[in-house]
Amino acid sequence: MHVAVVGAGIAGLSTAWSLVKAGHEVTLVEQGPIPNPRAASGDHHRIIRRAYSAASGYAPMIDEAYAAWDELWADLGESHLDPRGFLCVSREQGDEAEVLLDGLKAGGFPFELVEPEAAVARWPFLEAGTFRYAYFSNEGGALHCRKIAVGLARWLRDNGANVYENSRVVEVDAAKGRIELEDGSEIRAERVVVTAGAWVLKLFPGLVSDLKTYRTALAYVEPPADLAAAWQAAPIILDVGGKTDGYMIPPSGGAGMKFGTGRHRVETSDADWNREPIDGEGEAIRDVFAPPIARIGQYRITEVVTCAYTFTSDERFFAVEDGKALIVSACSGHGYKFGAAVGRRVAAAVGNGDVEGLLEWLRAGA
């Protein structure tokens, strides 16, 4: 079967990879370069971890996610996972860090509870007296997104897929399986998989009631010189407790240290809106991490990267079938870790027609 995939973020790349392995003829079309730095999955790194709330349904899927990445590493001939583990800090009873800890306990996943004084001694970038406890798990780390994208694009070309970069799709005729490009050319396929991320509403505006687009930004920082070695050896900081909704990725894979927070986002109707950094934006992101990060004002902003995401109302994956098209939307900004597994599942649904089964899996029983 000839399958066209629109969008070469992690969902599109991994779907194309799985389709090729299943024996399909594949055409992959990306509006920018691969990797595309403007795409949600086009940044340097994303987090993989086992910590989820017990009620989310995602924790049991992590085994499949790891297995899919292992399959991908075998095909690429190298791993792009830095398995340095993750750390959470709880500052208030019932905060997200505590909810994630309850999920680890419910799943029987390993973790080490660390009292505040010992945590500050072990991770000196933490500020004493600002948190209740910390915990560490060695089952997590950073996925190197751009290296994954480069490796997958190369693998696809080496294995017979047609890969088009800098080719913007302006229309998808779902009934006919026809794709029109900005230059006026067309691609016809028996099936079309649309994994266009935040740009999906430009192709299917009727999905506006299901998906909302947000513009956010991430801050890359340079820590104080005396803390540089501690950060180089540090785990991922998955959550800093309280209401920060913040994570931190230490230097990894040749990329710098990154701060991100779910509090820093603005709803927009256009994935291309306001994609240049705003004056003071990096400092605003950085400063929400104090507490529990000590001396936060000494972390120098080196770069601010903007992103656009689609969110569902319940922050779950989204999929819908429209004629010959299958539209799959990412998991509201926290789905990269499932990327390889999503590709395998989407490709299987294209092959066997079980879209309902795909949707049930994507929504983790919700």
Side-chain angles (χ1 to χ4, degrees):
M1 185 191 314
H2 180 207
V3 185
V5 180
V6 178
I10 187 56
L13 285 164
S14 60
T15 296
W17 162 67
S18 297
L19 287 166
V20 168
K21 294 189 70 168
H24 298 290
E25 178 187 353
V26 175
T27 298
L28 176 64
V29 186
E30 165 56 40
Q31 66 173 333
I34 302 174
N36 186 346
R38 292 173 65 83
S41 61
D43 195 20
H44 288 290
H45 32 41
R46 288 287 186 270
I47 296 172
I48 186 169
R49 34 78 172 198
R50 290 193 180 275
Y52 274 100
S53 70
S56 72
Y58 285 121
M61 296 167 59
I62 290 292
D63 282 337
E64 184 173 342
Y66 270 108
W69 286 119
D70 286 342
E71 180 185 351
L72 181 58
W73 307 147
D75 284 348
L76 298 186
E78 58 182 329
S79 171
H80 297 303
L81 168 63
D82 176 5
R84 60 173 62 213
F86 68 85
L87 174 70
C88 284
V89 175
S90 176
R91 291 189 285 135
E92 300 173 5
Q93 186 174 1
D95 62 13
E96 182 68 11
E98 189 154 88
V99 169
L100 296 177
L101 178 59
D102 289 342
L104 288 174
K105 293 176 180 177
F109 300 131
F111 68 90
E112 174 191 356
L113 194 65
V114 186
E115 294 300 319
E117 185 175 340
V120 172
R122 186 168 171 182
W123 300 293
F125 44 78
L126 295 175
E127 184 176 2
T130 65
F131 59 97
R132 303 161 64 217
Y133 59 82
Y135 59 91
F136 168 76
S137 172
N138 62 2
E139 294 192 338
L143 292 160
H144 299 150
C145 309
R146 294 186 181 179
K147 294 181 179 181
I148 291 168
V150 168
L152 272 170
R154 182 187 303 117
W155 185 93
L156 287 167
R157 289 187 171 106
D158 289 346
N159 285 272
N162 299 305
V163 179
Y164 294 91
E165 299 182 60
N166 301 302
S167 302
R168 183 184 292 270
V169 174
V170 295
E171 182 182 357
V172 176
D173 186 332
K176 297 180 179 179
R178 182 183 64 85
I179 297 170
E180 181 180 342
L181 302 182
E182 192 172 40
D183 63 8
S185 61
E186 293 184 355
I187 296 171
R188 291 183 179 270
E190 294 162 82
R191 289 282 276 167
V192 178
V193 178
V194 180
T195 55
W199 288 266
V200 70
L201 291 176
K202 295 193 175 188
L203 299 174
F204 293 90
L207 296 178
V208 68
S209 60
D210 298 295
L211 300 169
K212 289 186 178 181
T213 304
Y214 288 85
R215 182 261 192 208
T216 187
L218 307 164
Y220 282 85
V221 307
E222 181 180 299
D226 61 310
L227 295 176
W231 276 114
Q232 285 286 348
I236 301 297
I237 313 299
L238 179 57
D239 193 272
V240 294
K243 298 177 176 61
T244 301
D245 190 18
Y247 67 89
M248 310 164 78
I249 301 181
S252 179
M257 181 175 168
K258 181 169 74 178
F259 287 12
T261 170
R263 287 168 52 182
H264 190 85
R265 69 183 192 187
V266 179
E267 186 176 348
T268 175
S269 60
D270 185 351
D272 293 308
W273 173 76
N274 203 18
R275 292 299 301 270
E276 294 302 315
I278 302 167
D279 288 345
E281 191 166 21
E283 288 77 7
I285 296 168
R286 175 198 65 190
D287 291 350
V288 304
F289 288 84
I293 303 302
R295 300 159 53 192
I296 198 68
Q298 297 178 31
Y299 287 71
R300 185 175 68 87
I301 306 300
T302 59
E303 184 181 11
V304 176
V305 177
T306 64
C307 302
Y309 292 99
T310 50
F311 279 70
T312 57
S313 60
D314 59 0
E315 298 195 6
R316 299 269 171 168
F317 283 102
F318 174 83
V320 64
E321 194 169 26
D322 182 357
K324 294 183 178 181
L326 175 59
I327 305 145
V328 181
S329 179
C331 193
S332 301
H334 62 87
Y336 193 99
K337 65 188 70 62
F338 298 110
V342 168
R344 296 201 308 186
R345 289 278 183 163
V346 172
V350 169
N352 62 27
D354 185 13
V355 176
E356 287 300 319
L358 168 67
L359 183 58
E360 182 180 354
W361 181 85
L362 287 172
R363 293 185 57 76

